[in-house]
Amino acid sequence: MSKGLDHDTLNENVKKVQYAVRGELYLRASELQKEGKKIIFTNVGNPHALGQKPLSFPRQVVALCQAPFLLDDPNVGLVFPADAIARAKHYLSLTSGGLGAYSDSRGLPGIRKEVADFIERRDGYPSDPELIFLTDGASKGVMQMLNTIIRGEKDGILVPVPQYPLYSAAISLYGGSLVPYYLEESANWGLDVNNLRQSIAQARSRGITVKAMVIINPGNPTGQCLSIDNLQELLRFCSREKLVLLADEVYQQNIYQDQRPFISARKVLLDMGTPISKDVQLVSFHTVSKGYWGECGQRGGYFEMTNIPAESVDEIYKVASISLSPNVPGQIFLGLMVNPPKPGDISYQKFVQESKTILESLRKRAHIMTNGFNSCRNVVCNFTEGAMYSFPQIRLPPKAIEAAKMAGKVPDVYYCLKLLEATGISTVPGSGFGQKDGVFHLRTTILPAEEDMPAIMDSFKKFNDGFMEQYEDHRGYSRM
Amino acid sequence: MSKGLDHDTLNENVKKVQYAVRGELYLRASELQKEGKKIIFTNVGNPHALGQKPLSFPRQVVALCQAPFLLDDPNVGLVFPADAIARAKHYLSLTSGGLGAYSDSRGLPGIRKEVADFIERRDGYPSDPELIFLTDGASKGVMQMLNTIIRGEKDGILVPVPQYPLYSAAISLYGGSLVPYYLEESANWGLDVNNLRQSIAQARSRGITVKAMVIINPGNPTGQCLSIDNLQELLRFCSREKLVLLADEVYQQNIYQDQRPFISARKVLLDMGTPISKDVQLVSFHTVSKGYWGECGQRGGYFEMTNIPAESVDEIYKVASISLSPNVPGQIFLGLMVNPPKPGDISYQKFVQESKTILESLRKRAHIMTNGFNSCRNVVCNFTEGAMYSFPQIRLPPKAIEAAKMAGKVPDVYYCLKLLEATGISTVPGSGFGQKDGVFHLRTTILPAEEDMPAIMDSFKKFNDGFMEQYEDHRGYSRM
């Protein structure tokens, strides 16, 4: 008889989960690192791990909140600027018990108010703090929402392919069905509503009730920014099909072109006016982990609900209560993100300088990387319009595909493992995100330091071109 | 046609969840607070919210980790002691990217090693850091483990009654069956293995596969400390019945008597020797939220696995990866908890003084509260041997029960609401934790400040005795 945690008795949904971002490639990279090899971890959007410095002002504020006794120390002004001290006092006044006390399970009311004000400034419509829940990073919010929506395997969630594997993993974990819709690589990863219609029709023919649709804007791993027209089309689609729209907008500050600035799904929805603006159920996600903040390790995020019935909000609140509260320091980072220093504040110039430097450098790196990939043999890559990733297509020769099969590997996994062993560059194979059959990609972040980037791209090109040389049938005959 | 987040289409398991600690009483208390009433929140074990001061040393270290640029500031020594500076450098050396970078999904390896060393010192047996996972508070770990174990409604988990409602809530959420075993109030909430046998037999007769058993030691809400004999008995029971033992040991530092010090389930298991020490699957939970730390808002915790097959550990790791990593500041608090200042360190005396003061005061408050409750009409209360709660039995007169029915309330909810309205004391009704039929309790924390305690207990007594006066049939006739 098996025991409760023997592998054969585990929850099948747990076993079905796949999570490539920390999958085989990551595990192999960790092993190689232990063996002393220098690894460039570009598998996760984790900017500080690759040398990005934290913004000073928010760190000063949170440090003071952690050590409130410093606020009474006569020397505090020697190491902290006055506006950081004032802001720390502000946040401590919003808590009862400081960072060591659980907050309300939705997060501190004062910080939810700051988030609501930020959303109002961004979208031009008021936002209700009671419909904003703070979370330990955006992922936790997405997981809670999927757990709330999914009743069983007959419930489907429309997810873009390629997608960030949080979605496939969480849908597996909660026992639902992923309904894929394909982004069009040849149209710079655009979203085609006809494609959505086909996907939903196909799912329904299999008896699936499609309950929600995920968009990632800017795209992960694909980097595209959705246009207003595109957002309007898909909101009409959600309205017609009664779908909850889950809008993953965690990269809204990461934009590397000027033609298509970020616009939130909520703003587009409310701009469309009634009846649709009162009709579509929308949940929007944001985080302190991305943008020019990159404060991944702090785990701060929020979701905002639009047009969700009050009794459903109550259920979501109840479930959030089970784990008591999101971490409070992360909540304060979120407050600081939505309410940064203002012109005239002592720390304003420095804050602007630091954030601008990061964003401008990311923009340059997006270009260096796209250009670098496009200079490689059998590699084509759309420009990274936003987010933090590059997702080049790798045209693997048949012999490479065959070699992968012999090694018992998916072809892009084979390629990425070889890349890792040869160069130390740790990427994620495209199969982890989903791709059309017979087409192969990899995802890398654009986060290595700008000064390291040329060498990394050289190293990639050398490996790739050698790999292609090895496997390509360049002598003009092909295997039959 | 319903939309995806309409209440009628939500996941039924979500709707079934009950979580009394932040249930009707808490919501009403929050309303009253908004209206300006002074509320004493004793519903959650949230010490800092009730005025407990954080320990200085850990806060200094984490503040410095948040603001690493201070480490190069010539003035840093004016506001931080040298050992805090050294320790901050130590923790930063364990991360790549500081607090802003995601760690490994199990937590930072260096901190897991510190936890393993702590466990070894505590239990006298080595512990493997690879089997220790850091979490955003202990609750998140418990939830992950239950989600891993539970396949569906035919899977049962043995849970003590009264229990901390995290267990009932998470079991509902993941669609399993709670199998209750009753603690014996008349034997100071002791655990009787015969009782366990009956519970499991009864569950099996209903077709339930019982996969795991929860113990909370010291007990929440009941405060009892399990003896070695008791732990041995239940470990033998788990071995015989092939149950995973989930040992919630978050109150291991909160002990208010000397006859029965805390002893971990793991130590008792390993002391028993083979074959049983290699047989029972055990998962033990701990946290920075309790003890004399009370750092609830930081969300730091861990679980340690004993005798869990490697392939199951891999599945647990994979699922932990979906939300990337527990918050890093919380991990550092955990490191500091298991590796506090040592004799000879600059901060040692102060640290010992602060922690001793808190623990001694908690011990006094445990006595004041138990005595206070036992001085009240129709109230009997076991002494709080450990943890942070008092769980008095309230003998409600039939007329009070009838009045509750008229008001559409469970009797203990009715009593607690009246208590709240009259005194501002926010408790949790016993029905939220489970109790035998026809017996009523409430749970309160022992956390209000020591100097406020006499007034609170007076206020309680005044309310209670008046309530009993009102509803008790003291003129000698009874309703038929």
Side-chain angles (χ1 to χ4, degrees), chain B residues 177-472:
Chain B
S177 289
L178 186 149
V179 179
Y181 66 93
Y182 287 90
L183 301 176
E184 215 28 81
E185 185 164 16
S186 60
N188 207 23
W189 298 114
L191 186 165
D192 180 353
V193 174
N194 290 321
N195 205 319
L196 280 174
R197 283 198 200 98
Q198 283 169 19
S199 295
I200 207 170
Q202 215 165 39
R204 285 181 181 153
S205 74
R206 292 186 290 127
I208 304 284
T209 305
V210 181
K211 292 192 72 185
M213 166 175 179
V214 173
I215 56 169
I216 310 176
N217 180 35
N220 174 5
T222 44
Q224 84 288 2
C225 297
L226 295 177
S227 68
I228 296 180
D229 285 355
N230 226 192
L231 283 162
Q232 286 178 342
E233 270 188 304
L234 70 89
L235 283 161
R236 278 191 290 267
F237 174 77
C238 287
S239 171
R240 211 162 39 233
E241 307 293 353
K242 311 277 184 206
L243 304 179
V244 181
L245 183 62
L246 301 174
D248 178 337
E249 299 177 334
V250 298
Y251 297 102
Q252 59 189 267
Q253 291 181 319
N254 297 97
I255 307 291
Y256 312 122
Q257 41 74 43
D258 303 314
Q259 311 88 284
R260 253 201 309 278
F262 169 76
I263 181 161
S264 74
R266 180 173 178 275
K267 176 173 173 51
V268 173
L269 176 65
L270 299 184
D271 279 350
M272 289 167 83
T274 50
I276 195 166
S277 63
K278 301 255 184 217
D279 179 46
V280 175
Q281 296 183 337
L282 170 67
V283 186
S284 309
F285 301 89
H286 198 9
T287 183
V288 301
S289 300
K290 310 299 170 187
Y292 39 86
W293 292 69
E295 291 280 10
C296 303
Q298 314 280 359
R299 313 311 291 120
Y302 77 79
F303 58 85
E304 187 208 14
M305 296 173 279
T306 306
N307 297 326
I308 311 298
E311 62 268 42
S312 299
V313 173
D314 288 346
E315 299 285 1
I316 293 162
Y317 185 13
K318 180 184 68 181
V319 170
S321 300
I322 305 176
S323 45
L324 293 161
S325 86
N327 87 81
V328 179
Q331 297 183 38
I332 292 177
F333 273 103
L334 195 72
L336 287 157
M337 181 178 82
V338 297
N339 188 15
K342 289 182 184 45
D345 292 354
I346 300 164
S347 298
Y348 177 72
Q349 282 304 334
K350 187 175 180 189
F351 180 84
V352 169
Q353 186 53 45
E354 289 175 346
S355 25
K356 232 175 98 180
T357 305
I358 294 168
L359 263 190
E360 281 174 1
S361 171
L362 282 171
R363 188 182 273 238
K364 276 187 239 161
R365 284 179 267 172
H367 281 279
I368 297 172
M369 203 158 232
T370 308
N371 295 340
F373 283 131
N374 282 321
S375 79
C376 294
R377 192 157 154 180
N378 295 349
V379 178
V380 283
C381 185
N382 282 320
F383 174 61
T384 299
E385 295 180 345
M388 289 185 171
Y389 310 97
S390 188
F391 197 64
Q393 186 182 139
I394 314 290
R395 297 189 167 149
L396 294 175
K399 275 192 185 166
I401 295 173
E402 197 187 347
K405 269 187 201 146
M406 301 280 290
K409 302 284 177 198
V410 177
D412 54 6
V413 172
Y414 182 76
Y415 176 93
C416 290
L417 279 170
K418 291 278 178 198
L419 172 68
L420 172 67
E421 309 270 352
T423 65
I425 303 173
S426 164
T427 60
V428 188
S431 48
F433 305 90
Q435 50 200 356
K436 289 186 177 165
D437 279 346
V439 182
F440 304 104
H441 298 83
L442 62 80
R443 187 189 82 165
T444 164
T445 68
I446 59 167
L447 296 175
E450 194 180 323
E451 62 270 25
D452 298 338
M453 201 62 110
I456 291 173
M457 294 316 292
D458 281 353
S459 159
F460 177 84
K461 184 174 169 60
K462 199 170 146 229
F463 159 78
N464 175 79
D465 292 5
F467 181 96
M468 296 300 170
E469 180 68 25
Q470 181 185 349
Y471 289 108
E472 213 170 33

Side-chain angles (χ1 to χ4, degrees), chain A residues 1-12 14-19 21-22 26-27 34 44-46 48-49 56 59-60 62-63 65-70 73 75-76 78-80 96-97 99-105 130 136 139-140 143 145 147-151 164 166 169-170 173-174 211 241-242 244 278-279 281 283 289-290 294-299 308-309 311-312 315-319 321-329 333, chain B residues 1-12 14-19 21-22 26-27 34 44-46 48-49 56 59-60 62-63 65-70 73 75-76 78-80 96-97 99-105 130 136 139-140 143 145 147-151 164 166 169-170 173-174 211 241-242 244 278-279 281 283 289-290 294-299 308-309 311-312 315-319 321-329 333:
Chain A
M1 189 184 148
S2 293
K3 298 175 202 164
L5 274 168
D6 284 351
H7 194 259
D8 61 315
T9 82
L10 299 187
N11 178 351
E12 285 300 321
V14 163
K15 290 195 255 183
K16 272 184 217 153
V17 166
Q18 298 202 336
Y19 193 69
V21 172
R22 298 215 165 171
Y26 171 73
L27 297 174
K34 270 194 190 160
V44 181
N46 196 8
H48 292 207
S56 303
R59 289 298 193 96
Q60 288 165 334
V62 175
C65 290
Q66 283 288 11
F69 35 83
L70 289 185
D73 189 311
N75 291 318
V76 67
L78 297 175
V79 284
F80 290 98
S96 59
L99 305 198
Y102 295 125
S103 70
D104 185 276
S105 306
E130 299 293 302
D136 288 307
S139 303
K140 284 278 164 64
M143 291 175 78
M145 210 48 67
N147 193 17
T148 305
I149 294 173
I150 295 170
R151 293 164 297 186
Y164 176 52
L166 161 65
L173 185 63
Y174 300 127
K211 291 192 73 186
E241 306 294 350
K242 310 277 183 207
V244 181
K278 301 258 184 214
D279 178 47
Q281 296 183 337
V283 186
S289 299
K290 309 300 171 188
E295 291 280 10
C296 304
Q298 313 281 359
R299 314 310 292 120
I308 312 297
E311 62 268 41
S312 299
E315 300 285 0
I316 293 162
Y317 185 13
K318 181 185 68 183
V319 170
S321 300
I322 305 176
S323 45
L324 294 160
S325 85
N327 87 83
V328 179
F333 274 104
Chain B
M1 188 184 149
S2 292
K3 298 175 203 165
L5 274 168
D6 283 352
H7 194 257
D8 61 313
T9 81
L10 299 187
N11 178 351
E12 284 301 322
V14 163
K15 290 194 254 183
K16 273 184 216 152
V17 165
Q18 298 203 337
Y19 193 68
V21 170
R22 297 214 164 172
Y26 170 73
L27 296 175
K34 269 194 189 159
V44 180
N46 194 8
H48 292 207
S56 304
R59 289 299 193 96
Q60 289 164 334
V62 175
C65 291
Q66 283 289 11
F69 35 84
L70 290 185
D73 190 311
N75 291 317
V76 67
L78 297 174
V79 284
F80 289 98
S96 60
L99 305 198
Y102 295 125
S103 69
D104 185 277
S105 306
E130 299 293 301
D136 287 308
S139 303
K140 283 279 163 66
M143 291 175 79
M145 210 48 69
N147 193 17
T148 306
I149 293 173
I150 295 170
R151 293 165 297 187
Y164 175 52
L166 161 65
L173 185 63
Y174 300 127
K211 292 192 72 185
E241 307 293 353
K242 311 277 184 206
V244 181
K278 301 255 184 217
D279 179 46
Q281 296 183 337
V283 186
S289 300
K290 310 299 170 187
E295 291 280 10
C296 303
Q298 314 280 359
R299 313 311 291 120
I308 311 298
E311 62 268 42
S312 299
E315 299 285 1
I316 293 162
Y317 185 13
K318 180 184 68 181
V319 170
S321 300
I322 305 176
S323 45
L324 293 161
S325 86
N327 87 81
V328 179
F333 273 103

Side-chain angles (χ1 to χ4, degrees), chain A residues 208-226:
Chain A
I208 304 284
T209 304
V210 181
K211 291 192 73 186
M213 166 174 178
V214 173
I215 56 168
I216 311 176
N217 179 36
N220 175 3
T222 42
Q224 84 288 4
C225 296
L226 295 177

